[in-house]
Amino acid sequence: METWLLVVVVVLLVLVLAALVAPRAVRGWRSQRIRKRFGPEYDRTVSRTGDRAAAEAELAEREKRRCRLTITDLDPAARDRYLQGWRAAQARFVDNPVAATREADLLVTNVMRDRGYPVDDFEQQAADVSVDHPTVVEHYRSAHAVAVATEREQVSTEDLRQAITHYRALFDELVGAGETESGGRHG
């Protein structure tokens, strides 16, 4: 066999192999990127959909939707007002845990609205916030479930305490409660 023919055959084999391997490698890279980006929300979505590809498509769609939103930081006065509101809600918990939990839910919703998140539909709110805050969105879902159950009077004081704790995790993220004046996070 001539040398040039052998080179052509080898090049063709390499191209065919690359064509077979490249899509799989790209999918693997994409999966890894989305899994890292969404953390526990990735696993939750895969579990809910029952299909990794469908979950990844849904999460990618959330990212696209989030890019179309204009999410802003709170101005310092609004941030302080919300922090005061949170302290008041927490203090009220001892005497009226149901009202305090409702206040916490309203505070989180108002902070989300002020930052630019749409707040018309809870599931969409959770999906939108999952892009920016994937590690705490499950707290939000848990707190919301308690808030809904509260309307049916099917919760204990411990459930309400847990809801406040869950709301606090997202609230802190949304208002930047752990941030210092210089913009860094407290350790």
Side-chain angles (χ1 to χ4, degrees):
M1 183 179 274
E2 301 232 5
T3 306
W4 68 270
L5 188 56
L6 185 58
V7 169
V8 169
V9 169
V10 169
V11 168
L12 286 175
L13 285 173
V14 167
L15 289 175
V16 168
L17 186 59
L20 294 173
V21 172
R24 189 174 276 186
V26 169
R27 277 193 307 272
W29 173 82
R30 181 175 180 252
S31 291
Q32 184 178 17
R33 183 194 67 79
I34 291 175
R35 173 177 250 146
K36 184 176 181 182
R37 170 93 167 90
F38 282 93
E41 185 67 5
Y42 177 92
D43 295 329
R44 180 194 168 280
T45 307
V46 169
S47 177
R48 185 179 51 75
T49 62
D51 177 26
R52 183 185 54 79
E56 289 176 4
E58 178 183 321
L59 294 171
E61 190 56 41
R62 288 185 199 181
E63 284 181 312
K64 287 178 191 171
R65 176 181 159 80
R66 167 55 185 87
C67 285
R68 293 187 302 265
L69 301 176
T70 303
I71 306 300
T72 60
D73 290 336
L74 294 173
D75 65 62
R79 183 177 180 273
D80 289 344
R81 192 175 59 251
Y82 281 122
L83 288 169
Q84 287 176 333
W86 185 266
R87 285 189 288 272
Q90 267 188 303
R92 199 171 344 282
F93 185 83
V94 172
D95 293 327
N96 193 340
V98 171
T101 304
R102 286 186 183 130
E103 272 183 67
D105 180 59
L106 185 59
L107 276 168
V108 166
T109 300
N110 288 339
V111 170
M112 289 177 71
R113 180 181 297 113
D114 283 1
R115 298 239 2 241
Y117 291 100
V119 294
D120 299 328
D121 172 73
F122 172 77
E123 289 303 323
Q124 189 61 60
Q125 280 175 258
D128 290 341
V129 85
S130 75
V131 177
D132 295 322
H133 307 284
T135 60
V136 296
V137 70
E138 195 56 34
H139 286 286
Y140 186 40
R141 286 188 184 99
S142 296
H144 181 74
V146 172
V148 168
T150 300
E151 299 303 318
R152 296 185 306 259
E153 299 179 9
Q154 299 174 338
V155 296
S156 68
T157 302
E158 177 58 20
D159 293 331
L160 295 168
R161 186 190 70 74
Q162 287 292 322
I164 290 287
T165 301
H166 289 308
Y167 277 126
R168 180 64 189 250
L170 179 58
F171 179 84
D172 284 350
E173 290 272 327
L174 290 170
V175 300
E179 300 208 357
T180 65
E181 301 242 345
S182 63
R185 302 273 308 164
H186 286 297

